[in-house]
Amino acid sequence: MTDTPQQPALRLQGIVKTFPGVRALDGVDFEVMPGEVHALLGENGAGKSTLMKVLAGMYQPDEGQIMIAERPVRMTTPIEAKAQGVVLIHQELSLVPEMSAAENIYLGELPLKSLGRVDWTTLFDRSNAILKRLNCKFRGEVTVANLSIANQQMVEIARALTVDARVVVFDEPTASLTDSEKVVLFDIINDLKARGVGIVYISHRMDEIFTLSDRITVLRDGAYRGTLTTADTNEDEVTRLMIGRSLDLSRDVNPPKLGDTVLEVRGLSCAPLFENVSFAVRAGEVLGFYGLVGAGRTEIAETLFGLRSPDSGEILVDGAPVQISSPQSAISLGISLVPENRKEQGLVLQMSCRDNITLPQVQDLTSGPFVSSGAEMEIYEQYREKLEIKSPSWRQTVGVLSGGNQQKIVIGKWLSMKPRVLIVDEPTRGIDVGSKSEIHNLLRELAAQGYAVIVISSEMPEVLRVSDRIVAMYHGRIMREFSADDVTEDSLVQAISGIRAENAA
Amino acid sequence: MSNPTDFNPVRWLMRNPIWGFVLIVFIFFSLVSDHFFDYRNFQNILVQTSTIGLIALGMTLVMINGNIDLSVGAILALAAAFAVDVQSWAMFATWGNWQILPAVCLALLVGIVLGALNGFIVWKTGVDAFIVTLGAMLGIRGLVFVYTGEQSFYAMNFAYSDFSALSVGPLPVLAIIFLLCTLAVHWVLSRTAHGRNTYAVGGNREAAVNAGIRVGPHMMVNFMIIGFLAALSGVLLSTQMGAATPNLGRDYELWVITAVVLGGTKLTGGKGDIIGTFGGVLAIGILRNGMNLMQVPAFYVYVILGSILIAVLFLDKRFNRTADGGLRL
């Protein structure tokens, strides 16, 4: 890299992009210097993804200019963008699972011999060189489907390094990574930075942004809201720019009005996913499940919801042992599950807001043979108001709503079934900061209304904020149970990393 | 989002491009052919399309479910063979015209049972419906040949073949049956809980399971509905011919799928409706009828239909693209 007076590796000027009925980007300015990590922040729908797609050549801006090393460029495809040195690392992994890591790294650009034959030697040599640079412990020959999510992400990153990248865009890279995997990723980002690559880093997670970035640019409603130097700002200021108001992050300290034990689990096992799990949850409290990805939390939830059958152990509802063999029986016992991936497991994206909410009970909302539209509207309106769901109309397909509103639809769907126990798996995954605290308040409020709430989360601040008690899990076992008063971040981290506290209660 | 009461015809046509096409071919043939715009010809078109149309109704349900049924042509043939053969069984010899009743009932039952079997296998084995019903298509067609000994069955009771010539007022009975079934399936799909679940299961099977919908039995019901409709179609076709041939209904699955896809139903499931399917069925019916009247050789119908299938789906993609734009290949 040259050390002439620094000129931006990439500069966007006055970018405007409209879609029918929406001004997705409204004159956005953005620049990245070589060797800088520039974070891009904004709530869902603020225009981050659109901006990135403009950058990567997937969209053409209606107005404005893209400059690379101060030369205006036009990029009409991702391949062209890559040739200019702009590489996007997608939020959702876009790998071909059946192919080897090496083939994925060079997908579309496989080194060739004569007659169009693939030059396997060169392919594997080059990919292994890149993987080594990334400190990866696997080789290019391995099939992607056999890699962990974190390693798959490494393949995605390796893909970016096949060209001499000037700018690498990371779109929510840590969404599916564990804490230790994050450390590796951050090392790689710092390494790229040291080589003079400009990094655009998109994330919802404030802590990451403050550890990594040099500058922060905030978008709101498709418009540029300002650029801050990370060292001179704080989370409050950034949040205010992002959502246009301050956030209330305090936890309400009112002691919960506890009711009877609604759900109790004794010695539940489903090898090898979880073993000898016992806990109880009472009406009016939030029980948090904290642990690393793969600790068995989601699987316990799935067992309670009848999606898995346990090997042994007892489940008691209101003190009476029950068999939960299917979601139907779970629902009839008053147990509801808001699943981890709302798009894959919770919502029918092409269906309207109303129809998604009434989905589990539509067969009971009939007058004669037909579904009663009136009864459906009543339920929809009730939960739209109660959960403050923002949607232009009941007919809006849920696919286009923001993550926060989608999550509220799923929660509304289950509340409308009048459950006793509400299990919420990763309540705020992929949801922006503003809506996050709304969801947190909602969960607290639901407990106050007498629901027994179980929250599964991989985010420590979240568990600490919403839970009355916290169960820490490690490798399918409950390591320790904390009450909100005696929990500390240190003890929690120890518990979920398998370090058994000496004075475990 | 628009209000349900403000109906915008242009918008509606953009969402249902097939009806635009129906309108165009209708006007085209009315202008170029002397015989097309004629009340009796319209009756003809309805009767001719009823065979494929009935099955297309069931196929719409199955395809919105994210499944497909390739065995409909074979089910049609087997049901037709039963309907024609059973009425001449010795045990019904003294029943007079009533001998037709057990024959038709049995034929329809065969359709329902075969549909149930398709659905049951898809449910319990988790094998893709395409494969299951491909197997069923071959197997059932084989049974038809075994059953008929490669011969055609002829209806001895003339009341049976006269049925297809009956009319109620201005409408032929076959057209009435088709229209009533269309209305019934439209209601099931758009207004009942079963219909709602059909969209949910096809739109996101996992979410449907999580919502407590019993997905397996649900899909089986739709396979039974299409089995019934295929059998009904077979019975009606055999009344028109007064006979059942072992090759009856060959390639019908392709015509039916073409009609349903023309009508905007997605192969991937979750999307589609009966209004579109009805348009798709009419489009094929009018095209075949009109070209026949103009004495265009039948092969051209295939060429034109094939081109139109691609054109209509292209238009659908153009008009109904999401803000996301989809991938440029």
Side-chain angles (χ1 to χ4, degrees):
Chain A
M1 285 289 139
T2 50
D3 259 343
T4 43
Q6 288 252 318
Q7 55 180 17
L10 173 91
R11 196 149 68 88
L12 300 178
Q13 221 173 11
I15 300 288
V16 175
K17 176 74 190 170
T18 54
F19 294 112
V22 197
R23 205 170 169 86
L25 291 175
D26 194 3
V28 172
D29 299 327
F30 185 74
E31 60 168 29
V32 201
M33 307 300 282
E36 177 194 40
V37 177
H38 196 151
L40 185 63
L41 259 165
E43 296 196 275
N44 284 343
K48 288 172 306 192
S49 302
T50 313
L51 188 65
M52 285 312 107
K53 285 182 176 166
V54 167
L55 246 181
M58 286 184 250
Y59 289 158
Q60 297 310 301
D62 301 333
E63 286 169 41
Q65 224 166 22
I66 306 174
M67 323 262 273
I68 289 175
E70 296 301 67
R71 275 179 303 109
V73 290
R74 240 180 88 79
M75 302 181 291
T76 54
T77 64
I79 305 268
E80 272 180 57
K82 200 170 173 184
Q84 301 274 6
V86 180
V87 194
L88 178 63
I89 292 169
H90 294 270
Q91 181 178 3
E92 274 118 31
L93 297 172
S94 53
L95 300 171
V96 186
E98 294 81 11
M99 290 173 120
S100 69
E103 285 169 283
N104 270 289
I105 292 171
Y106 281 94
L107 199 65
E109 305 158 313
L110 291 175
L112 296 179
K113 294 194 284 193
S114 59
L115 298 174
R117 291 170 302 153
V118 175
D119 184 352
W120 295 103
T121 327
T122 316
L123 173 68
F124 287 126
D125 286 352
R126 284 196 202 156
S127 337
N128 282 326
I130 296 175
L131 289 173
K132 201 170 167 200
R133 238 175 81 196
L134 293 173
N135 287 323
C136 289
K137 291 185 192 77
F138 59 94
R139 293 183 55 81
E141 286 83 349
V142 65
T143 305
V144 163
N146 298 333
L147 293 172
S148 69
I149 298 289
N151 281 334
Q152 291 188 11
Q153 190 141 27
M154 290 302 157
V155 176
E156 190 90 42
I157 295 170
R159 211 186 234 182
L161 304 180
T162 59
V163 291
D164 207 2
R166 287 169 194 275
V167 177
V168 179
V169 183
F170 289 89
D171 190 3
E172 297 268 357
T174 56
S176 48
L177 297 189
T178 61
D179 287 334
S180 55
E181 291 164 344
K182 272 181 209 168
V183 175
V184 178
L185 176 74
F186 292 170
D187 282 348
I188 289 167
I189 291 176
N190 283 324
D191 180 49
L192 286 173
K193 184 178 159 178
R195 289 164 198 259
V197 176
I199 311 275
V200 182
Y201 191 86
I202 304 173
S203 176
H204 284 128
R205 300 193 181 167
M206 286 286 181
D207 52 332
E208 288 172 13
I209 284 167
F210 276 88
T211 354
L212 270 180
S213 69
D214 300 305
R215 283 193 295 167
I216 300 172
T217 287
V218 179
L219 296 183
R220 187 167 82 228
D221 301 332
Y224 174 77
R225 292 287 159 177
T227 301
L228 306 163
T229 307
T230 311
D232 303 339
T233 185
N234 54 39
E235 293 195 13
D236 279 351
E237 191 182 0
V238 173
T239 311
R240 262 201 310 283
L241 265 187
M242 208 163 100
I243 63 177
R245 62 189 153 84
S246 307
L247 261 189
D248 169 29
L249 281 172
S250 63
R251 184 171 179 283
D252 71 62
V253 283
N254 300 338
K257 287 187 287 292
L258 287 183
D260 296 330
T261 297
V262 183
L263 176 76
E264 192 177 348
V265 170
R266 287 186 195 154
L268 199 66
S269 294
C270 181
L273 301 167
F274 56 85
E275 270 174 84
N276 198 17
V277 166
S278 303
F279 62 89
V281 57
R282 298 167 70 176
E285 72 172 344
V286 178
L287 177 64
F289 270 79
Y290 183 61
L292 299 173
V293 174
R297 299 162 303 161
T298 299
E299 290 75 12
I300 293 175
E302 287 171 349
T303 309
L304 291 176
F305 194 59
L307 291 165
R308 290 177 189 277
S309 39
D311 305 331
S312 60
E314 263 191 314
I315 302 172
L316 296 92
V317 173
D318 293 330
V322 292
Q323 288 290 325
I324 303 176
S325 55
S326 65
Q328 293 86 347
S329 55
I331 291 168
S332 64
L333 287 166
I335 300 173
S336 291
L337 172 66
V338 176
E340 184 176 15
N341 297 312
R342 52 182 175 278
K343 286 187 182 171
E344 287 81 31
Q345 303 167 316
L347 295 167
V348 184
L349 294 176
Q350 312 92 316
M351 280 192 7
S352 67
C353 295
R354 184 196 70 182
D355 294 359
N356 265 289
I357 284 188
T358 56
L359 190 60
Q361 55 174 325
V362 68
Q363 64 275 12
D364 302 325
L365 296 177
T366 49
S367 60
F370 298 135
V371 176
S372 155
S373 184
E376 282 195 285
M377 284 313 289
E378 211 172 286
I379 290 175
Y380 169 72
E381 283 300 331
Q382 186 186 342
Y383 289 95
R384 187 184 60 79
E385 264 169 48
K386 183 170 176 166
L387 307 181
E388 294 172 19
I389 295 168
K390 288 182 201 77
S391 165
S393 136
W394 65 267
R395 306 168 81 213
Q396 184 67 56
T397 51
V398 296
V400 303
L401 296 183
S402 70
N405 281 308
Q406 288 183 347
Q407 189 68 301
K408 287 180 183 176
I409 298 256
V410 184
I411 293 175
K413 172 170 85 176
W414 289 119
L415 292 186
S416 76
M417 296 301 288
K418 310 262 182 286
R420 319 268 316 279
V421 183
L422 187 66
I423 308 171
V424 193
D425 196 354
E426 300 289 358
T428 60
R429 171 169 292 176
I431 289 177
D432 52 72
V433 188
S435 320
K436 236 176 187 171
S437 70
E438 257 185 86
I439 299 272
H440 290 160
N441 293 337
L442 178 64
L443 293 171
R444 291 298 316 161
E445 197 191 309
L446 291 174
Q449 288 169 17
Y451 294 98
V453 182
I454 297 178
V455 171
I456 298 171
S457 175
S458 304
E459 290 182 42
M460 191 185 292
E462 178 163 283
V463 191
L464 291 173
R465 180 150 183 246
V466 301
S467 319
D468 297 306
R469 284 185 299 132
I470 299 170
V471 166
M473 286 198 68
Y474 171 73
H475 269 300
R477 289 173 180 280
I478 292 184
M479 297 307 283
R480 217 183 136 177
E481 198 180 304
F482 299 90
S483 77
D485 306 321
D486 67 18
V487 65
T488 63
E489 296 196 11
D490 282 349
S491 56
L492 205 48
V493 168
Q494 284 183 353
I496 65 153
S497 347
I499 304 163
R500 211 177 268 277
E502 294 300 304
N503 55 348
Chain B
M1 237 15 309
S2 66
N3 197 303
T5 49
D6 60 42
F7 177 76
N8 178 340
V10 176
R11 259 252 204 56
W12 190 85
L13 270 183
M14 277 170 74
R15 276 207 310 274
N16 300 282
I18 189 59
W19 280 97
F21 178 74
V22 169
L23 209 66
I24 291 167
V25 283
F26 183 82
I27 294 169
F28 174 79
F29 284 120
S30 303
L31 295 178
V32 298
S33 166
D34 300 333
H35 309 292
F36 180 81
F37 196 88
D38 177 273
Y39 186 69
R40 288 235 299 288
N41 189 45
F42 296 160
Q43 292 184 337
N44 257 336
I45 293 175
L46 274 178
V47 171
Q48 285 162 2
T49 54
S50 68
T51 318
I52 283 173
L54 281 169
I55 310 175
L57 300 174
M59 192 68 88
T60 309
L61 298 180
V62 170
M63 280 172 58
I64 292 174
N65 252 180
N67 293 322
I68 201 161
D69 189 347
L70 300 175
S71 66
V72 287
I75 292 179
L76 177 151
L78 192 61
F82 266 102
V84 175
D85 182 43
V86 171
Q87 48 185 282
S88 50
W89 282 1
M91 66 171 103
F92 303 127
T94 58
W95 287 37
N97 281 348
W98 285 104
Q99 64 195 190
I100 294 171
L101 187 72
V104 169
C105 288
L106 193 67
L108 297 180
L109 190 69
V110 163
I112 295 172
V113 169
L114 289 175
L117 195 67
N118 274 335
F120 189 76
I121 297 173
V122 169
W123 168 19
K124 287 296 177 189
T125 64
V127 176
D128 203 87
F130 185 94
I131 306 297
V132 172
T133 58
L134 182 69
M137 170 179 114
L138 298 171
I140 297 169
R141 182 65 69 181
L143 286 180
V144 173
F145 280 97
V146 172
Y147 178 34
T148 61
E150 292 181 63
Q151 299 300 311
S152 295
F153 291 152
Y154 295 94
M156 298 306 170
N157 189 329
F158 288 116
Y160 188 70
S161 32
D162 286 345
F163 178 78
S164 63
L166 291 180
S167 292
V168 176
L171 278 173
V173 177
L174 298 188
I176 291 174
I177 293 175
F178 172 46
L179 294 176
L180 285 180
C181 286
T182 306
L183 216 56
V185 178
H186 176 64
W187 272 336
V188 166
L189 190 56
S190 62
R191 298 188 53 191
T192 67
H194 179 81
R196 186 69 61 75
N197 290 346
T198 301
Y199 286 104
V201 167
N204 188 342
R205 200 168 285 187
E206 211 175 335
V209 171
N210 285 334
I213 297 171
R214 295 184 38 82
V215 169
H218 168 88
M219 295 194 306
M220 198 166 131
V221 168
N222 280 337
F223 275 107
M224 287 162 75
I225 292 175
I226 194 174
F228 168 81
L229 288 168
L232 179 62
S233 173
V235 170
L236 297 184
L237 191 60
S238 67
T239 65
Q240 281 172 276
M241 300 170 52
T245 65
N247 271 317
L248 208 61
R250 274 256 149 122
D251 295 346
Y252 271 30
E253 54 282 341
L254 299 181
W255 287 105
V256 167
I257 293 166
T258 307
V260 173
V261 171
L262 276 175
T265 298
K266 298 277 173 285
L267 276 167
T268 43
K271 214 158 174 287
D273 54 45
I274 293 296
I275 295 170
T277 295
F278 190 58
V281 168
L282 279 188
I284 293 181
I286 292 174
L287 209 66
R288 288 172 104 175
N289 172 279
M291 293 181 74
N292 188 22
L293 289 178
M294 291 174 65
Q295 293 171 340
V296 181
F299 336 108
Y300 288 104
V301 180
Y302 286 92
V303 176
I304 290 178
L305 257 176
S307 321
I308 284 163
L309 178 65
I310 294 166
V312 166
L313 289 186
F314 171 70
L315 288 179
D316 183 56
K317 245 194 148 58
R318 275 317 272 264
F319 291 148
N320 300 320
R321 202 181 280 200
T322 52
D324 205 33
L327 280 180
R328 224 171 354 178
L329 297 178

